[in-house]
Amino acid sequence: MGKAESTEGILVLGPPRSGTTLLRRLLDAHPRIACPPETNVFAACGRFLRSEKTADGVGIGVLEGLEYAGFSREDVLSRLRELAFSFHREYASRQGKARWAAKTAFDAFYLPEIEALCGDRCAYVCLERHGLDVACSIQELCEKNGAYLRELHDYVVRYPAVLEAFAHAWADLARGIRAFAASHPEHSFLLRYEDLVAEPDATMQKLMGFLGESWDPEFTSKALSSRETVGLGDWKTYGRSSIDASSVGRWKKLPRYTLARLAEICNPVLELCGYEPVRVEPEEPPEAARRRYQVGLLLQRLKGAGRKDREPGPEPAPEE
Amino acid sequence: MTGLDRDTLLRFLEERLGLDPAEIDDETPLFSSGLVDSVALAELVVYVENESGVSFEPEDITLEHLDTVGRILRFVATRHGR
């Protein structure tokens, strides 16, 4: 039995909008795995454990604070771990399933804390998706929510062009997830969103092989037809009756100037993750951008002239 | 000026706008169907102008001239014929 086959829990780690909800629904369709909608438990544990340092390097956080009160770091982690695991364990038990899995899209912002909390006690499904598609999809999410979630605040403050902010967030997360997987090679499975939507059953079979489980294509149909476990997560996946690759490559529609800026941010990490770097077109003369702007204004008159009104930017995706 | 033909236009739609050329024929609505949004259409117009040497005047920016590959090519051909 491999190490990932004997772990109590399975954690899905991926940047927000990288297919975590789709994967959550697929995992939950397995007769032996229970993966509830986003519980936020591990992200909350991450926030609970997060520590800051003074200029002198003194840690200020719960682990340090409780240590002064006589509670060892391992004691605190052990109690918190039991709390976090117990919710998922009980949920799985209620579903009559042997294993639990957890996915919350923002867990990936707390990798060091998840490392401290879970270590080799869990198997990790590390999701990857093209960074520019992720950035476009996060932008869509924020527009839909009318808010930037807490974990994105620093990025939006540092990079006022929001797609650049989200590209930076993706780059940090993707790099972090790669490093996390490398430090837990026997417990981590790298899974590409693009593979999952192109060949869901073949990809799930590989994942299940890693987890020591089997996969039947019936589970895919069950995942998409199930209405039993609605909850927090990506809203669009619930409107899909099939898995397709229509959300792959939407970034290609971004304006050339934006693409050049995003390529600079994302290309090193895209290559690290095995994606083709984004080709940057030669810089165009300023009159070309002005002309596009002018034509864009003229095109406004066509709105309502029998076309489906659609805002510029990324198209709706079937899932994160 | 390189001129503009169907293949060049389809290649642009594929490479720059991410459309599948296999799903587009000369009369597939691009803008009115939502397949291409206004940002992409603006880019398409500027590309067509650069490739063909034809300029779209404000009154030319209409679905009659822009909504399909066939209409774009006919508009360019008409202008070249002047």
Side-chain angles (χ1 to χ4, degrees), chain A residues 252-256 259 291-292 295 299 301-302 305-308 310 312-313, chain B residues 16-17 31-35 37-39 41-43 46 49 56 58 61 63:
Chain A
K252 292 176 183 173
K253 294 183 180 181
L254 290 170
R256 181 197 296 219
L259 272 180
R291 177 61 177 150
R292 261 201 314 277
V295 170
L299 285 168
R301 294 181 316 180
L302 299 187
R307 69 177 292 264
K308 290 178 191 167
R310 186 175 294 197
Chain B
R16 192 61 203 89
L17 303 185
F31 188 65
S32 63
S33 66
L35 204 56
D37 63 30
S38 56
V39 172
L41 191 60
E43 192 160 349
V46 175
E49 287 181 332
F56 284 80
I61 306 286
L63 290 178

PDB file of all heavy atoms in Angstrom, chain A residues 252-256 259 291-292 295 299 301-302 305-308 310 312-313, chain B residues 16-17 31-35 37-39 41-43 46 49 56 58 61 63:
ATOM      1  N   LYS A 252      -6.702  34.022 -24.219  1.00  0.00           N
ATOM      2  CA  LYS A 252      -6.198  34.430 -25.540  1.00  0.00           C
ATOM      3  C   LYS A 252      -6.947  35.628 -26.090  1.00  0.00           C
ATOM      4  O   LYS A 252      -6.474  36.282 -27.011  1.00  0.00           O
ATOM      5  CB  LYS A 252      -6.286  33.256 -26.517  1.00  0.00           C
ATOM      6  CG  LYS A 252      -5.314  32.129 -26.164  1.00  0.00           C
ATOM      7  CD  LYS A 252      -5.464  30.937 -27.063  1.00  0.00           C
ATOM      8  CE  LYS A 252      -4.524  29.820 -26.622  1.00  0.00           C
ATOM      9  NZ  LYS A 252      -4.742  28.579 -27.347  1.00  0.00           N
ATOM     10  N   LYS A 253      -8.128  35.909 -25.529  1.00  0.00           N
ATOM     11  CA  LYS A 253      -8.910  37.040 -26.015  1.00  0.00           C
ATOM     12  C   LYS A 253      -8.512  38.353 -25.345  1.00  0.00           C
ATOM     13  O   LYS A 253      -9.068  39.396 -25.657  1.00  0.00           O
ATOM     14  CB  LYS A 253     -10.402  36.785 -25.778  1.00  0.00           C
ATOM     15  CG  LYS A 253     -10.941  35.618 -26.593  1.00  0.00           C
ATOM     16  CD  LYS A 253     -12.436  35.451 -26.390  1.00  0.00           C
ATOM     17  CE  LYS A 253     -12.962  34.285 -27.215  1.00  0.00           C
ATOM     18  NZ  LYS A 253     -14.403  34.110 -27.065  1.00  0.00           N
ATOM     19  N   LEU A 254      -7.608  38.290 -24.399  1.00  0.00           N
ATOM     20  CA  LEU A 254      -7.201  39.524 -23.712  1.00  0.00           C
ATOM     21  C   LEU A 254      -6.469  40.453 -24.683  1.00  0.00           C
ATOM     22  O   LEU A 254      -5.805  39.990 -25.612  1.00  0.00           O
ATOM     23  CB  LEU A 254      -6.284  39.190 -22.533  1.00  0.00           C
ATOM     24  CG  LEU A 254      -6.929  38.488 -21.344  1.00  0.00           C
ATOM     25  CD1 LEU A 254      -5.869  37.997 -20.369  1.00  0.00           C
ATOM     26  CD2 LEU A 254      -7.914  39.412 -20.627  1.00  0.00           C
ATOM     27  N   PRO A 255      -6.571  41.767 -24.431  1.00  0.00           N
ATOM     28  CA  PRO A 255      -5.854  42.713 -25.299  1.00  0.00           C
ATOM     29  C   PRO A 255      -4.348  42.473 -25.249  1.00  0.00           C
ATOM     30  O   PRO A 255      -3.807  42.025 -24.237  1.00  0.00           O
ATOM     31  CB  PRO A 255      -6.207  44.083 -24.694  1.00  0.00           C
ATOM     32  CG  PRO A 255      -7.424  43.854 -23.872  1.00  0.00           C
ATOM     33  CD  PRO A 255      -7.377  42.428 -23.412  1.00  0.00           C
ATOM     34  N   ARG A 256      -3.701  42.814 -26.362  1.00  0.00           N
ATOM     35  CA  ARG A 256      -2.269  42.548 -26.516  1.00  0.00           C
ATOM     36  C   ARG A 256      -1.442  43.184 -25.403  1.00  0.00           C
ATOM     37  O   ARG A 256      -0.520  42.574 -24.871  1.00  0.00           O
ATOM     38  CB  ARG A 256      -1.830  43.092 -27.869  1.00  0.00           C
ATOM     39  CG  ARG A 256      -0.361  42.866 -28.172  1.00  0.00           C
ATOM     40  CD  ARG A 256       0.104  43.751 -29.287  1.00  0.00           C
ATOM     41  NE  ARG A 256      -0.568  43.443 -30.545  1.00  0.00           N
ATOM     42  CZ  ARG A 256       0.052  43.454 -31.723  1.00  0.00           C
ATOM     43  NH1 ARG A 256       1.322  43.759 -31.799  1.00  0.00           N
ATOM     44  NH2 ARG A 256      -0.603  43.195 -32.825  1.00  0.00           N
ATOM     45  N   LEU A 259      -1.865  41.215 -22.263  1.00  0.00           N
ATOM     46  CA  LEU A 259      -1.165  39.930 -22.385  1.00  0.00           C
ATOM     47  C   LEU A 259       0.327  40.088 -22.143  1.00  0.00           C
ATOM     48  O   LEU A 259       0.946  39.253 -21.469  1.00  0.00           O
ATOM     49  CB  LEU A 259      -1.380  39.346 -23.782  1.00  0.00           C
ATOM     50  CG  LEU A 259      -2.614  38.479 -23.985  1.00  0.00           C
ATOM     51  CD1 LEU A 259      -2.682  37.984 -25.423  1.00  0.00           C
ATOM     52  CD2 LEU A 259      -2.609  37.294 -23.033  1.00  0.00           C
ATOM     53  N   ARG A 291      -6.487  53.513 -32.182  1.00  0.00           N
ATOM     54  CA  ARG A 291      -7.460  53.130 -33.203  1.00  0.00           C
ATOM     55  C   ARG A 291      -8.417  52.069 -32.650  1.00  0.00           C
ATOM     56  O   ARG A 291      -9.627  52.135 -32.889  1.00  0.00           O
ATOM     57  CB  ARG A 291      -6.719  52.607 -34.449  1.00  0.00           C
ATOM     58  CG  ARG A 291      -7.630  52.109 -35.566  1.00  0.00           C
ATOM     59  CD  ARG A 291      -8.536  53.200 -36.103  1.00  0.00           C
ATOM     60  NE  ARG A 291      -9.363  52.745 -37.221  1.00  0.00           N
ATOM     61  CZ  ARG A 291     -10.565  53.211 -37.501  1.00  0.00           C
ATOM     62  NH1 ARG A 291     -11.104  54.174 -36.766  1.00  0.00           N
ATOM     63  NH2 ARG A 291     -11.247  52.744 -38.526  1.00  0.00           N
ATOM     64  N   ARG A 292      -7.872  51.103 -31.915  1.00  0.00           N
ATOM     65  CA  ARG A 292      -8.744  50.082 -31.309  1.00  0.00           C
ATOM     66  C   ARG A 292      -9.749  50.724 -30.361  1.00  0.00           C
ATOM     67  O   ARG A 292     -10.916  50.362 -30.327  1.00  0.00           O
ATOM     68  CB  ARG A 292      -7.911  49.052 -30.534  1.00  0.00           C
ATOM     69  CG  ARG A 292      -7.646  47.779 -31.284  1.00  0.00           C
ATOM     70  CD  ARG A 292      -7.302  46.624 -30.369  1.00  0.00           C
ATOM     71  NE  ARG A 292      -6.333  47.002 -29.357  1.00  0.00           N
ATOM     72  CZ  ARG A 292      -5.040  47.038 -29.558  1.00  0.00           C
ATOM     73  NH1 ARG A 292      -4.540  46.722 -30.731  1.00  0.00           N
ATOM     74  NH2 ARG A 292      -4.220  47.395 -28.592  1.00  0.00           N
ATOM     75  N   VAL A 295     -12.396  52.446 -32.463  1.00  0.00           N
ATOM     76  CA  VAL A 295     -13.309  51.456 -33.049  1.00  0.00           C
ATOM     77  C   VAL A 295     -14.210  50.877 -31.959  1.00  0.00           C
ATOM     78  O   VAL A 295     -15.410  50.672 -32.160  1.00  0.00           O
ATOM     79  CB  VAL A 295     -12.513  50.326 -33.752  1.00  0.00           C
ATOM     80  CG1 VAL A 295     -13.426  49.169 -34.143  1.00  0.00           C
ATOM     81  CG2 VAL A 295     -11.797  50.864 -34.981  1.00  0.00           C
ATOM     82  N   LEU A 299     -18.207  50.665 -31.880  1.00  0.00           N
ATOM     83  CA  LEU A 299     -18.895  49.374 -31.752  1.00  0.00           C
ATOM     84  C   LEU A 299     -20.007  49.405 -30.712  1.00  0.00           C
ATOM     85  O   LEU A 299     -20.901  48.564 -30.727  1.00  0.00           O
ATOM     86  CB  LEU A 299     -17.891  48.270 -31.399  1.00  0.00           C
ATOM     87  CG  LEU A 299     -16.990  47.809 -32.542  1.00  0.00           C
ATOM     88  CD1 LEU A 299     -15.865  46.938 -32.010  1.00  0.00           C
ATOM     89  CD2 LEU A 299     -17.808  47.034 -33.571  1.00  0.00           C
ATOM     90  N   ARG A 301     -22.362  51.206 -30.604  1.00  0.00           N
ATOM     91  CA  ARG A 301     -23.651  51.410 -31.277  1.00  0.00           C
ATOM     92  C   ARG A 301     -24.281  50.093 -31.707  1.00  0.00           C
ATOM     93  O   ARG A 301     -25.473  50.033 -31.955  1.00  0.00           O
ATOM     94  CB  ARG A 301     -23.452  52.273 -32.519  1.00  0.00           C
ATOM     95  CG  ARG A 301     -23.009  53.692 -32.207  1.00  0.00           C
ATOM     96  CD  ARG A 301     -22.856  54.471 -33.487  1.00  0.00           C
ATOM     97  NE  ARG A 301     -22.166  53.652 -34.504  1.00  0.00           N
ATOM     98  CZ  ARG A 301     -21.898  54.082 -35.726  1.00  0.00           C
ATOM     99  NH1 ARG A 301     -22.242  55.283 -36.092  1.00  0.00           N
ATOM    100  NH2 ARG A 301     -21.283  53.298 -36.592  1.00  0.00           N
ATOM    101  N   LEU A 302     -23.436  49.081 -31.844  1.00  0.00           N
ATOM    102  CA  LEU A 302     -23.969  47.788 -32.291  1.00  0.00           C
ATOM    103  C   LEU A 302     -24.644  47.027 -31.171  1.00  0.00           C
ATOM    104  O   LEU A 302     -25.362  46.069 -31.409  1.00  0.00           O
ATOM    105  CB  LEU A 302     -22.845  46.920 -32.868  1.00  0.00           C
ATOM    106  CG  LEU A 302     -22.108  47.464 -34.084  1.00  0.00           C
ATOM    107  CD1 LEU A 302     -21.164  46.410 -34.628  1.00  0.00           C
ATOM    108  CD2 LEU A 302     -23.079  47.885 -35.172  1.00  0.00           C
ATOM    109  N   ALA A 305     -28.128  45.615 -31.211  1.00  0.00           N
ATOM    110  CA  ALA A 305     -28.536  45.418 -32.601  1.00  0.00           C
ATOM    111  C   ALA A 305     -28.631  43.924 -32.888  1.00  0.00           C
ATOM    112  O   ALA A 305     -28.008  43.396 -33.798  1.00  0.00           O
ATOM    113  CB  ALA A 305     -27.534  46.078 -33.530  1.00  0.00           C
ATOM    114  N   GLY A 306     -29.385  43.239 -32.051  1.00  0.00           N
ATOM    115  CA  GLY A 306     -29.629  41.820 -32.289  1.00  0.00           C
ATOM    116  C   GLY A 306     -28.540  40.901 -31.803  1.00  0.00           C
ATOM    117  O   GLY A 306     -28.473  39.759 -32.198  1.00  0.00           O
ATOM    118  N   ARG A 307     -27.628  41.397 -30.943  1.00  0.00           N
ATOM    119  CA  ARG A 307     -26.579  40.514 -30.451  1.00  0.00           C
ATOM    120  C   ARG A 307     -26.846  40.197 -28.984  1.00  0.00           C
ATOM    121  O   ARG A 307     -27.512  40.951 -28.284  1.00  0.00           O
ATOM    122  CB  ARG A 307     -25.197  41.144 -30.575  1.00  0.00           C
ATOM    123  CG  ARG A 307     -24.975  42.322 -29.643  1.00  0.00           C
ATOM    124  CD  ARG A 307     -23.575  42.851 -29.774  1.00  0.00           C
ATOM    125  NE  ARG A 307     -22.633  41.878 -29.274  1.00  0.00           N
ATOM    126  CZ  ARG A 307     -22.131  41.896 -28.051  1.00  0.00           C
ATOM    127  NH1 ARG A 307     -22.474  42.825 -27.200  1.00  0.00           N
ATOM    128  NH2 ARG A 307     -21.270  40.978 -27.670  1.00  0.00           N
ATOM    129  N   LYS A 308     -26.318  39.065 -28.544  1.00  0.00           N
ATOM    130  CA  LYS A 308     -26.365  38.742 -27.124  1.00  0.00           C
ATOM    131  C   LYS A 308     -25.399  39.673 -26.422  1.00  0.00           C
ATOM    132  O   LYS A 308     -24.210  39.669 -26.726  1.00  0.00           O
ATOM    133  CB  LYS A 308     -25.923  37.297 -26.894  1.00  0.00           C
ATOM    134  CG  LYS A 308     -26.907  36.282 -27.387  1.00  0.00           C
ATOM    135  CD  LYS A 308     -26.331  34.902 -27.150  1.00  0.00           C
ATOM    136  CE  LYS A 308     -27.159  33.855 -27.873  1.00  0.00           C
ATOM    137  NZ  LYS A 308     -26.490  32.577 -27.933  1.00  0.00           N
ATOM    138  N   ARG A 310     -22.785  40.986 -24.128  1.00  0.00           N
ATOM    139  CA  ARG A 310     -21.761  40.277 -23.366  1.00  0.00           C
ATOM    140  C   ARG A 310     -20.662  41.255 -23.029  1.00  0.00           C
ATOM    141  O   ARG A 310     -20.173  41.961 -23.894  1.00  0.00           O
ATOM    142  CB  ARG A 310     -21.213  39.135 -24.204  1.00  0.00           C
ATOM    143  CG  ARG A 310     -20.264  38.253 -23.449  1.00  0.00           C
ATOM    144  CD  ARG A 310     -19.859  37.102 -24.277  1.00  0.00           C
ATOM    145  NE  ARG A 310     -21.001  36.206 -24.547  1.00  0.00           N
ATOM    146  CZ  ARG A 310     -20.847  34.977 -24.968  1.00  0.00           C
ATOM    147  NH1 ARG A 310     -19.671  34.486 -25.166  1.00  0.00           N
ATOM    148  NH2 ARG A 310     -21.887  34.216 -25.210  1.00  0.00           N
ATOM    149  N   PRO A 312     -17.027  42.728 -22.199  1.00  0.00           N
ATOM    150  CA  PRO A 312     -15.670  42.325 -22.566  1.00  0.00           C
ATOM    151  C   PRO A 312     -15.024  41.564 -21.427  1.00  0.00           C
ATOM    152  O   PRO A 312     -15.388  41.735 -20.271  1.00  0.00           O
ATOM    153  CB  PRO A 312     -14.941  43.657 -22.776  1.00  0.00           C
ATOM    154  CG  PRO A 312     -16.012  44.673 -22.943  1.00  0.00           C
ATOM    155  CD  PRO A 312     -17.206  44.163 -22.207  1.00  0.00           C
ATOM    156  N   GLY A 313     -14.054  40.746 -21.770  1.00  0.00           N
ATOM    157  CA  GLY A 313     -13.317  40.032 -20.735  1.00  0.00           C
ATOM    158  C   GLY A 313     -13.557  38.547 -20.852  1.00  0.00           C
ATOM    159  O   GLY A 313     -14.092  38.066 -21.841  1.00  0.00           O
TER     160      GLY A 313
ATOM    161  N   ARG B  16      -5.551  34.549 -32.239  1.00  0.00           N
ATOM    162  CA  ARG B  16      -5.639  35.749 -31.403  1.00  0.00           C
ATOM    163  C   ARG B  16      -6.917  35.772 -30.569  1.00  0.00           C
ATOM    164  O   ARG B  16      -6.927  36.290 -29.463  1.00  0.00           O
ATOM    165  CB  ARG B  16      -5.550  36.982 -32.308  1.00  0.00           C
ATOM    166  CG  ARG B  16      -5.349  38.297 -31.607  1.00  0.00           C
ATOM    167  CD  ARG B  16      -4.049  38.331 -30.799  1.00  0.00           C
ATOM    168  NE  ARG B  16      -4.120  39.332 -29.737  1.00  0.00           N
ATOM    169  CZ  ARG B  16      -4.572  39.091 -28.535  1.00  0.00           C
ATOM    170  NH1 ARG B  16      -5.002  37.903 -28.202  1.00  0.00           N
ATOM    171  NH2 ARG B  16      -4.604  40.033 -27.609  1.00  0.00           N
ATOM    172  N   LEU B  17      -7.999  35.229 -31.140  1.00  0.00           N
ATOM    173  CA  LEU B  17      -9.279  35.316 -30.427  1.00  0.00           C
ATOM    174  C   LEU B  17      -9.721  33.962 -29.874  1.00  0.00           C
ATOM    175  O   LEU B  17     -10.764  33.860 -29.244  1.00  0.00           O
ATOM    176  CB  LEU B  17     -10.367  35.895 -31.346  1.00  0.00           C
ATOM    177  CG  LEU B  17     -10.045  37.279 -31.949  1.00  0.00           C
ATOM    178  CD1 LEU B  17     -11.244  37.798 -32.736  1.00  0.00           C
ATOM    179  CD2 LEU B  17      -9.664  38.284 -30.868  1.00  0.00           C
ATOM    180  N   PHE B  31     -20.337  38.491 -33.934  1.00  0.00           N
ATOM    181  CA  PHE B  31     -20.658  39.471 -32.886  1.00  0.00           C
ATOM    182  C   PHE B  31     -22.098  39.315 -32.390  1.00  0.00           C
ATOM    183  O   PHE B  31     -22.351  39.298 -31.186  1.00  0.00           O
ATOM    184  CB  PHE B  31     -20.424  40.880 -33.420  1.00  0.00           C
ATOM    185  CG  PHE B  31     -20.535  41.957 -32.380  1.00  0.00           C
ATOM    186  CD1 PHE B  31     -19.636  42.026 -31.322  1.00  0.00           C
ATOM    187  CD2 PHE B  31     -21.522  42.923 -32.457  1.00  0.00           C
ATOM    188  CE1 PHE B  31     -19.727  43.031 -30.361  1.00  0.00           C
ATOM    189  CE2 PHE B  31     -21.619  43.933 -31.505  1.00  0.00           C
ATOM    190  CZ  PHE B  31     -20.716  43.980 -30.463  1.00  0.00           C
ATOM    191  N   SER B  32     -23.027  39.166 -33.330  1.00  0.00           N
ATOM    192  CA  SER B  32     -24.447  39.096 -32.922  1.00  0.00           C
ATOM    193  C   SER B  32     -24.744  37.830 -32.137  1.00  0.00           C
ATOM    194  O   SER B  32     -25.701  37.765 -31.386  1.00  0.00           O
ATOM    195  CB  SER B  32     -25.360  39.187 -34.141  1.00  0.00           C
ATOM    196  OG  SER B  32     -25.139  38.083 -34.993  1.00  0.00           O
ATOM    197  N   SER B  33     -23.884  36.804 -32.300  1.00  0.00           N
ATOM    198  CA  SER B  33     -24.089  35.557 -31.560  1.00  0.00           C
ATOM    199  C   SER B  33     -23.397  35.581 -30.200  1.00  0.00           C
ATOM    200  O   SER B  33     -23.593  34.703 -29.377  1.00  0.00           O
ATOM    201  CB  SER B  33     -23.531  34.381 -32.361  1.00  0.00           C
ATOM    202  OG  SER B  33     -22.116  34.506 -32.456  1.00  0.00           O
ATOM    203  N   GLY B  34     -22.525  36.585 -29.995  1.00  0.00           N
ATOM    204  CA  GLY B  34     -21.755  36.624 -28.751  1.00  0.00           C
ATOM    205  C   GLY B  34     -20.459  35.846 -28.832  1.00  0.00           C
ATOM    206  O   GLY B  34     -19.710  35.776 -27.866  1.00  0.00           O
ATOM    207  N   LEU B  35     -20.181  35.248 -29.990  1.00  0.00           N
ATOM    208  CA  LEU B  35     -18.933  34.489 -30.161  1.00  0.00           C
ATOM    209  C   LEU B  35     -17.722  35.405 -29.993  1.00  0.00           C
ATOM    210  O   LEU B  35     -16.693  35.010 -29.469  1.00  0.00           O
ATOM    211  CB  LEU B  35     -18.926  33.867 -31.558  1.00  0.00           C
ATOM    212  CG  LEU B  35     -18.082  32.630 -31.812  1.00  0.00           C
ATOM    213  CD1 LEU B  35     -18.433  31.503 -30.856  1.00  0.00           C
ATOM    214  CD2 LEU B  35     -18.256  32.164 -33.253  1.00  0.00           C
ATOM    215  N   ASP B  37     -16.671  39.312 -28.599  1.00  0.00           N
ATOM    216  CA  ASP B  37     -17.179  40.478 -27.878  1.00  0.00           C
ATOM    217  C   ASP B  37     -16.627  41.766 -28.493  1.00  0.00           C
ATOM    218  O   ASP B  37     -15.842  41.732 -29.446  1.00  0.00           O
ATOM    219  CB  ASP B  37     -16.881  40.373 -26.370  1.00  0.00           C
ATOM    220  CG  ASP B  37     -15.397  40.359 -26.063  1.00  0.00           C
ATOM    221  OD1 ASP B  37     -14.622  40.962 -26.824  1.00  0.00           O
ATOM    222  OD2 ASP B  37     -15.008  39.756 -25.049  1.00  0.00           O
ATOM    223  N   SER B  38     -17.035  42.900 -27.932  1.00  0.00           N
ATOM    224  CA  SER B  38     -16.683  44.177 -28.571  1.00  0.00           C
ATOM    225  C   SER B  38     -15.186  44.452 -28.515  1.00  0.00           C
ATOM    226  O   SER B  38     -14.626  45.052 -29.431  1.00  0.00           O
ATOM    227  CB  SER B  38     -17.479  45.320 -27.940  1.00  0.00           C
ATOM    228  OG  SER B  38     -17.265  45.351 -26.552  1.00  0.00           O
ATOM    229  N   VAL B  39     -14.530  43.992 -27.460  1.00  0.00           N
ATOM    230  CA  VAL B  39     -13.076  44.184 -27.365  1.00  0.00           C
ATOM    231  C   VAL B  39     -12.383  43.402 -28.483  1.00  0.00           C
ATOM    232  O   VAL B  39     -11.509  43.925 -29.181  1.00  0.00           O
ATOM    233  CB  VAL B  39     -12.546  43.720 -25.986  1.00  0.00           C
ATOM    234  CG1 VAL B  39     -11.031  43.728 -25.952  1.00  0.00           C
ATOM    235  CG2 VAL B  39     -13.097  44.604 -24.891  1.00  0.00           C
ATOM    236  N   LEU B  41     -13.767  42.340 -31.237  1.00  0.00           N
ATOM    237  CA  LEU B  41     -14.160  42.842 -32.557  1.00  0.00           C
ATOM    238  C   LEU B  41     -13.357  44.093 -32.916  1.00  0.00           C
ATOM    239  O   LEU B  41     -12.961  44.274 -34.076  1.00  0.00           O
ATOM    240  CB  LEU B  41     -15.666  43.133 -32.589  1.00  0.00           C
ATOM    241  CG  LEU B  41     -16.244  43.412 -33.977  1.00  0.00           C
ATOM    242  CD1 LEU B  41     -16.039  42.236 -34.923  1.00  0.00           C
ATOM    243  CD2 LEU B  41     -17.734  43.739 -33.898  1.00  0.00           C
ATOM    244  N   ALA B  42     -13.100  44.936 -31.932  1.00  0.00           N
ATOM    245  CA  ALA B  42     -12.272  46.123 -32.186  1.00  0.00           C
ATOM    246  C   ALA B  42     -10.887  45.690 -32.663  1.00  0.00           C
ATOM    247  O   ALA B  42     -10.319  46.262 -33.595  1.00  0.00           O
ATOM    248  CB  ALA B  42     -12.170  46.969 -30.924  1.00  0.00           C
ATOM    249  N   GLU B  43     -10.369  44.660 -32.021  1.00  0.00           N
ATOM    250  CA  GLU B  43      -9.052  44.154 -32.410  1.00  0.00           C
ATOM    251  C   GLU B  43      -9.100  43.573 -33.829  1.00  0.00           C
ATOM    252  O   GLU B  43      -8.174  43.764 -34.625  1.00  0.00           O
ATOM    253  CB  GLU B  43      -8.609  43.083 -31.413  1.00  0.00           C
ATOM    254  CG  GLU B  43      -7.169  42.716 -31.573  1.00  0.00           C
ATOM    255  CD  GLU B  43      -6.580  42.039 -30.337  1.00  0.00           C
ATOM    256  OE1 GLU B  43      -7.235  42.040 -29.284  1.00  0.00           O
ATOM    257  OE2 GLU B  43      -5.475  41.527 -30.465  1.00  0.00           O
ATOM    258  N   VAL B  46      -9.128  46.430 -36.437  1.00  0.00           N
ATOM    259  CA  VAL B  46      -7.807  47.036 -36.624  1.00  0.00           C
ATOM    260  C   VAL B  46      -6.880  46.078 -37.388  1.00  0.00           C
ATOM    261  O   VAL B  46      -6.111  46.502 -38.247  1.00  0.00           O
ATOM    262  CB  VAL B  46      -7.194  47.437 -35.252  1.00  0.00           C
ATOM    263  CG1 VAL B  46      -5.768  47.954 -35.412  1.00  0.00           C
ATOM    264  CG2 VAL B  46      -8.062  48.503 -34.595  1.00  0.00           C
ATOM    265  N   GLU B  49      -7.872  46.243 -41.004  1.00  0.00           N
ATOM    266  CA  GLU B  49      -7.375  47.488 -41.599  1.00  0.00           C
ATOM    267  C   GLU B  49      -5.884  47.377 -41.918  1.00  0.00           C
ATOM    268  O   GLU B  49      -5.440  47.756 -43.007  1.00  0.00           O
ATOM    269  CB  GLU B  49      -7.613  48.659 -40.645  1.00  0.00           C
ATOM    270  CG  GLU B  49      -9.070  49.080 -40.557  1.00  0.00           C
ATOM    271  CD  GLU B  49      -9.278  50.267 -39.622  1.00  0.00           C
ATOM    272  OE1 GLU B  49      -8.470  50.432 -38.675  1.00  0.00           O
ATOM    273  OE2 GLU B  49     -10.231  51.028 -39.837  1.00  0.00           O
ATOM    274  N   PHE B  56     -11.990  51.476 -42.108  1.00  0.00           N
ATOM    275  CA  PHE B  56     -13.417  51.498 -41.784  1.00  0.00           C
ATOM    276  C   PHE B  56     -13.766  52.911 -41.322  1.00  0.00           C
ATOM    277  O   PHE B  56     -13.218  53.389 -40.322  1.00  0.00           O
ATOM    278  CB  PHE B  56     -13.738  50.505 -40.654  1.00  0.00           C
ATOM    279  CG  PHE B  56     -13.759  49.067 -41.082  1.00  0.00           C
ATOM    280  CD1 PHE B  56     -12.584  48.343 -41.243  1.00  0.00           C
ATOM    281  CD2 PHE B  56     -14.970  48.426 -41.332  1.00  0.00           C
ATOM    282  CE1 PHE B  56     -12.601  47.014 -41.633  1.00  0.00           C
ATOM    283  CE2 PHE B  56     -14.997  47.086 -41.719  1.00  0.00           C
ATOM    284  CZ  PHE B  56     -13.817  46.382 -41.870  1.00  0.00           C
ATOM    285  N   PRO B  58     -16.545  55.590 -39.707  1.00  0.00           N
ATOM    286  CA  PRO B  58     -17.556  55.354 -38.653  1.00  0.00           C
ATOM    287  C   PRO B  58     -18.836  54.700 -39.184  1.00  0.00           C
ATOM    288  O   PRO B  58     -19.382  53.803 -38.547  1.00  0.00           O
ATOM    289  CB  PRO B  58     -17.817  56.759 -38.107  1.00  0.00           C
ATOM    290  CG  PRO B  58     -16.526  57.479 -38.306  1.00  0.00           C
ATOM    291  CD  PRO B  58     -15.964  56.949 -39.596  1.00  0.00           C
ATOM    292  N   ILE B  61     -18.883  50.784 -39.561  1.00  0.00           N
ATOM    293  CA  ILE B  61     -18.864  49.892 -38.387  1.00  0.00           C
ATOM    294  C   ILE B  61     -20.291  49.402 -38.147  1.00  0.00           C
ATOM    295  O   ILE B  61     -21.031  49.923 -37.303  1.00  0.00           O
ATOM    296  CB  ILE B  61     -18.319  50.625 -37.138  1.00  0.00           C
ATOM    297  CG1 ILE B  61     -16.963  51.244 -37.414  1.00  0.00           C
ATOM    298  CG2 ILE B  61     -18.267  49.686 -35.931  1.00  0.00           C
ATOM    299  CD1 ILE B  61     -15.807  50.269 -37.489  1.00  0.00           C
ATOM    300  N   LEU B  63     -23.031  45.699 -38.403  1.00  0.00           N
ATOM    301  CA  LEU B  63     -23.100  44.239 -38.484  1.00  0.00           C
ATOM    302  C   LEU B  63     -23.083  43.780 -39.945  1.00  0.00           C
ATOM    303  O   LEU B  63     -22.558  42.710 -40.254  1.00  0.00           O
ATOM    304  CB  LEU B  63     -24.372  43.727 -37.793  1.00  0.00           C
ATOM    305  CG  LEU B  63     -24.420  43.856 -36.261  1.00  0.00           C
ATOM    306  CD1 LEU B  63     -25.748  43.356 -35.728  1.00  0.00           C
ATOM    307  CD2 LEU B  63     -23.276  43.084 -35.624  1.00  0.00           C
TER     308      LEU B  63
END
